[in-house]
Amino acid sequence: MTAPVPDPDHIPTLIGRSSSHFTRVTRIFAAELEVAYAFEVVPDLRSMNAADFAGNPALRLPILRTGATTWLGTLNICRELARRAPVRRHVVWPEHLTDALTANAQELVVQAMATEVSLIMSQLAGTPRDDAHLTKQQQSLLNMLTWLDDNVQAVRAGLPQDRALSYLEVCMFCLVTHLEFRSLLATSGYRALTAFCDEYGQRASARATTYRFDTP
Ligand SMILES: N[C@@H](CCC(=O)N[C@@H](CS)C(=O)NCC(=O)O)C(=O)O
């Protein structure tokens, strides 16, 4: 079956950054689910103006604009993309993870993504390296990565075999590859996570969304 031709008047607009791991999650979902979209770049993450974030009062990206409606937050956006998808694919969402191992993995992956954002924003703000809160966040990130590295194989084995896509794996892939991209820490020592990223990175959706800094 040929893919439907997108109507430029009705395709949603994703507002984000090509260097953002949360944005990449939504782009991978769009690619996997064959949803066409326009892309608008937020020029400066540090902006204090909600208008720069498509009206998001949290001053965060990504945001999805569908006509007069805006969807805030990565999970909401992925769900809306799935509702718009011209193809039906088996997606595993966080609420499907009903055992502690996979549910905890989901929690830690999203927390690690948020902690990474916090570390990057602290860097941009020039927070001193010995700041106590910063030091705790760095330790927390290392702990979470160690836990994920120890458990990634069992976690993946616990996901439905017939899945096309899981929010957990897409987030985990975007998290680990982003740590390298932002030179926040070297990830090669996390052997199981690296093996997972090498495998997941073969997907066309991953290859089409590699991180880069948008030019102003
Ligand atoms: N809960 C949000 C978090 C999004 C987020 O933190 N995005 C980062 C960029 S990857 C951001 O906007 N950071 C700006 C800031 O922290 O001020 C989501 O799931 O989309």
Side-chain angles (χ1 to χ4, degrees):
M1 200 174 80
T2 50
V5 179
D7 174 348
D9 292 335
H10 290 99
I11 66 170
T13 300
L14 182 65
I15 297 117
R17 286 173 67 84
S18 307
S19 54
S20 141
H21 53 1
F22 281 111
T23 302
R24 190 177 188 186
V25 172
T26 62
R27 298 183 101 173
I28 289 181
F29 262 75
E32 294 279 346
L33 298 171
E34 299 176 30
V35 180
Y37 64 92
F39 190 59
E40 256 177 47
V41 174
V42 175
D44 187 357
L45 265 189
R46 293 165 299 182
S47 168
M48 301 281 267
N49 184 356
D52 290 337
F53 298 87
N56 185 353
L59 308 179
R60 283 177 189 263
L61 54 88
I63 305 100
L64 186 75
R65 201 165 46 222
T66 57
T69 306
T70 50
W71 299 90
L72 310 180
T74 303
L75 182 55
N76 274 343
I77 292 171
C78 290
R79 291 189 202 281
E80 176 59 10
L81 292 171
R83 284 187 288 267
R84 288 172 168 262
V87 290
R88 284 286 152 257
R89 307 205 56 198
H90 180 184
V91 181
V92 179
W93 298 107
E95 63 272 23
H96 296 140
L97 308 176
T98 52
D99 64 287
L101 184 69
T102 57
N104 289 341
Q106 179 68 73
E107 164 63 20
L108 293 178
V109 165
V110 175
Q111 181 56 57
M113 291 173 80
T115 301
E116 197 199 349
V117 170
S118 197
L119 291 173
I120 290 168
M121 297 309 288
S122 297
Q123 260 178 11
L124 292 177
T127 306
R129 283 172 171 271
D130 62 350
D131 177 84
H133 183 51
L134 194 61
T135 309
K136 182 177 178 193
Q137 287 188 306
Q138 281 162 342
Q139 187 58 53
S140 157
L141 182 60
L142 292 174
N143 293 354
M144 290 187 282
L145 287 169
T146 299
W147 189 98
L148 290 167
D149 195 52
D150 289 344
N151 290 285
V152 58
Q153 281 164 345
V155 166
R156 295 188 77 204
L159 297 174
Q161 296 272 308
D162 62 346
R163 68 192 181 282
L165 200 59
S166 71
Y167 190 69
L168 170 56
E169 289 171 297
V170 178
C171 288
M172 190 156 59
F173 173 74
C174 293
L175 164 71
V176 178
T177 49
H178 196 251
L179 291 166
E180 281 287 341
F181 170 70
R182 291 304 302 239
S183 307
L184 218 70
L185 56 90
T187 55
S188 58
Y190 299 102
R191 303 290 282 271
L193 284 175
T194 302
F196 158 69
C197 288
D198 288 347
E199 179 203 314
Y200 215 78
Q202 302 301 315
R203 290 188 174 221
S205 60
R207 288 204 305 270
T209 55
T210 48
Y211 290 120
R212 63 181 176 80
F213 289 105
D214 297 299
T215 41

